[in-house]
Each structure stands twice: as C-alpha cells, then as structure tokens.
Amino acid sequence: MQEEWNGLRTRAVRSSKARTPNGSQSPPVFGRAAGSKRSSAAAQGGGRSLVEGRLAKRQSGRSVAKVSYAESGQSESDEGGGRGNQARREPVPAFEDWGADGVEQQQLEIERVLGHRDMPGDPAGLATSRWSTAEFHVKWKGRSYTHCTWERLDALKYLPGFKRVTNYCKRIEQLDAAKHLISREELELQDVQRQMEEQLVEQYQQVERVVAERPGHDRCLLVKWEGLPYCECTWEAEGDVMAARGGPQARDEFLTRQQRLQEPSKGVDAARNAFIASKQVIGALAEQPEYLAGGNLRDYQLDGLNWLTYAWIKDRNCILADEMGLGKTVQCVSFLGLLAETCGVRG
C-alpha cells in the first residue's frame, strides 16, 4: 500500500509541474530545445524545415531521368536523328508552309515504312548487310500516300525519323528468324495481315472529298482521303488530284457545292412559307429517294423520315426518340436532304 501511495504522489507532482502558471498545460517538446540552432534556423527560413530545404536543394541540383513506357516501334524510339526526348510528335497543320508553286516547304521526315524490296546485289561486293542494297517504301510526314517513294538506306540515314527504318528492319529480321518456329496457320495469318495493310494503303490514295481550294497560278485543293480522318487532309496540286482515283468526281462535286453557295437563298422560315404557299404536295415515301445515296434505309427509318416530314409541314415540334443504335442520325440527315432537294430549304 505504501508503494502504491508513493507512486500516486509522484504522478501528481509531475502533472503539476507540466502546467503553466495560468493553469493551462504546456504542449510537450520533442527533440532539441526550442532555443537550439536548428530550430532558430528553421524560424529564420520562413517556416520551412531543414529537411524540406535539403530536399528542395537535392531536387533542384539533380537531373531526374524521364521514364518512357513507349514500345520500341513507337513514340520516342521512332524519332530519328538521335534527338531523344527533345523531339515530340506534334500535329502538322494542313494550312501552312506552302509555297506559290504548290509544293510544301518543309523538311522531309520519315513518318512510316510501308515495305521494302530486295534489289540486285552490289556488283562491287561492297554490301555489308541485306539492307544495304534494299529499297524502302517510305511515307513522308505531312504528305499524302500518293507521294510515297522508294528510297535506299543511304539516302534515309541522315533524315529525321530514321529510327523508324531501323525498327522496321529489326521487326522483319525477327519475323524471318521465327518462321521455322511458328505454325502454318500463323504464317497464313501474317500473309492476310500484310495483304490487308496493302489494301489500306491503296484506299488511302483515293480521294474522298475536296474540302477547299487555294486559287492562284497553280491552284491547290485541300483533299480528304478515303479512310483517313480530316486532320490528315493535305494540300495537293489540281493536276495530282485529277490523276488520283476519285479525284475528278470529288473536284466536280466541290465545284457544284461552291456554285450553290453563289445562288441567292432564303431563310429557313421564309423558304418553308414559300413552299407551303406553292401548295406542293409531298406524299409519303414508299422507297428511298435517289439523292439519298451511300446506303439503304430500313423500313422503320423510312417511316421515321415520313413522320419528320409530316411534322415539318404541319409546323409541329417533334422528338425522334428511338433506342440507341437504331439510326436516329441517319433519319435526321435524310430529312435534311429531303428539305434541301425537294423543298428548296438549304439551311
């Protein structure tokens, strides 16, 4: 009992010493005393601790290596000329860097290697590898697939994007080395994939639409290519467009659209009132009109087109609320085409 009583007295004395004169308990102090040099230095440093200052100095004084998760055949490894991380792939504007003669004024850069062909061996026997006498089918950056050329390895060695050529050579060598290890089905699959890529390249050389023109002595046309997005449109000389597949038809369609813009047009409400005043009758469509090309409307889509036309004639607001994937966009576009071709409302 006496030992327990002494322990309680000792704890009471400690708790009374920990309190300040005004009765409040002072917070515990850890580490060095408050008047030490380190705490005073931290106070003079604007509240930043010594550890934070050392970390800041260490981070500012060392260079942190950037980690790249790109594969060997893409992104940074594709950049040529040994430029490393300094080169970044940026979109090339289609409306700039064109001279008066219609030729793009920019440095040649390798964008893609489409294939290769083995040429006859060097007669002097100076070839050191299988690629020294080969020719590569090169797609140039900022130019269409119609301007792809066959080039030797020596001609590509000092151009930007040469890393893509070396990656292509490594990939072909790996495929050749693995031919005796894979099955016949896998070889057939590789052949099918190669044929599909060749068909895509042929598709990319077909003109889908002429977007704009640049008048001048050598007129240039902004071309949207089949199967490629609009961000890859390129300026082409009119002669090159006419020589490409689908070029004459796309050029004529562009001229027709430009001619329509020159015609005087009315507003949507005025054109609608003029059509109603003419007392023309639009019957329900039993089959798809000829001016709606590019596909066939389903029966329910044709019914939706007739319903939209009837609501427009009656000046009624309507909402086309089909389920997802049933072709609401196709029905609306078909309705706009009907207004333009039949009712004279061009929007």
Side-chain angles (χ1 to χ4, degrees):
M1 293 292 294
Q2 186 67 23
E3 293 179 356
E4 295 180 0
W5 176 252
N6 294 335
L8 293 174
R9 290 177 57 188
T10 304
R11 271 183 270 178
V13 171
R14 289 180 180 178
S15 61
S16 62
K17 289 183 179 180
R19 296 183 178 276
T20 58
N22 56 3
S24 61
Q25 188 175 0
S26 61
V29 179
F30 301 95
R32 293 180 176 267
S36 62
K37 295 182 179 180
R38 291 190 177 181
S39 54
S40 61
Q44 294 177 1
R48 188 175 66 176
S49 65
L50 183 62
V51 177
E52 294 178 354
R54 288 184 177 180
L55 288 176
K57 291 181 180 179
R58 185 179 300 176
Q59 292 176 357
S60 61
R62 70 181 181 182
S63 59
V64 181
K66 295 182 180 180
V67 181
S68 175
Y69 299 95
E71 296 181 0
S72 60
Q74 298 176 355
S75 188
E76 295 178 359
S77 63
D78 286 345
E79 301 296 340
R83 294 177 295 176
N85 295 335
Q86 296 179 358
R88 299 295 179 186
R89 300 187 64 180
E90 298 179 355
V92 178
F95 300 95
E96 298 179 0
D97 299 334
W98 276 81
D101 54 351
V103 180
E104 194 172 3
Q105 305 296 327
Q106 67 176 10
Q107 184 182 7
L108 291 176
E109 180 177 350
I110 303 171
E111 179 179 354
R112 183 184 175 190
V113 180
L114 304 177
H116 74 281
R117 59 186 180 185
D118 297 327
M119 302 301 293
D122 190 357
L126 300 178
T128 58
S129 65
R130 59 172 293 189
W131 305 111
S132 59
T133 58
E135 288 186 346
F136 299 91
H137 199 199
V138 178
K139 162 68 170 64
W140 302 103
K141 186 175 182 179
R143 300 192 178 188
S144 64
Y145 280 83
T146 58
H147 297 289
C148 296
T149 57
W150 291 93
E151 302 292 342
R152 298 286 293 269
L153 186 65
D154 296 337
L156 303 174
K157 187 176 300 183
Y158 302 103
L159 292 179
F162 179 71
K163 188 66 176 179
R164 296 183 175 94
V165 181
T166 58
N167 290 338
Y168 173 83
C169 296
K170 292 179 182 178
R171 185 169 65 253
I172 296 300
E173 292 175 355
Q174 293 175 357
L175 292 177
D176 293 343
K179 279 186 177 180
H180 65 284
L181 300 176
I182 60 180
S183 62
R184 182 181 301 177
E185 289 77 9
E186 293 176 343
L187 288 175
E188 293 179 355
L189 179 60
Q190 291 180 3
D191 294 338
V192 171
Q193 292 177 351
R194 184 173 61 255
Q195 293 176 4
M196 293 177 61
E197 291 179 359
E198 293 176 355
Q199 293 177 0
L200 286 177
V201 172
E202 294 180 359
Q203 180 183 2
Y204 297 158
Q205 299 179 14
Q206 182 176 352
V207 179
E208 179 181 351
R209 184 184 179 92
V210 175
V211 181
E213 67 173 343
R214 176 171 294 177
H217 179 68
D218 295 328
R219 189 169 68 166
C220 298
L221 301 176
L222 185 61
V223 178
K224 196 271 182 188
W225 300 96
E226 185 75 27
L228 292 177
Y230 275 90
C231 63
E232 297 191 24
C233 293
T234 57
W235 286 102
E236 304 290 341
E238 186 177 12
D240 295 339
V241 176
M242 298 299 293
R245 288 179 300 170
Q249 179 180 359
R251 198 276 307 265
D252 295 341
E253 293 176 354
F254 171 75
L255 295 178
T256 302
R257 294 194 301 269
Q258 293 296 107
Q259 186 65 28
R260 284 183 177 179
L261 295 178
Q262 304 297 330
E263 299 177 357
S265 59
K266 302 178 181 179
V268 177
D269 295 336
R272 179 183 175 280
N273 295 332
F275 175 79
I276 295 176
S278 63
K279 297 183 180 181
Q280 298 182 16
V281 178
I282 300 179
L285 298 176
E287 59 183 8
Q288 181 174 332
E290 296 181 357
Y291 53 80
L292 297 179
N296 297 323
L297 294 176
R298 299 182 181 273
D299 295 339
Y300 66 89
Q301 293 174 347
L302 194 61
D303 294 339
L305 175 60
N306 291 327
W307 178 71
L308 291 174
T309 305
Y310 177 79
W312 181 80
I313 293 175
K314 295 298 183 180
D315 195 14
R316 296 177 181 174
N317 296 329
C318 61
I319 297 177
L320 188 61
D322 288 342
E323 295 183 3
M324 182 181 297
L326 296 182
K328 296 183 292 296
T329 304
V330 172
Q331 297 177 53
C332 294
V333 172
S334 302
F335 172 64
L336 295 178
L338 183 142
L339 293 181
E341 298 294 337
T342 303
C343 305
V345 180
R346 309 236 175 240

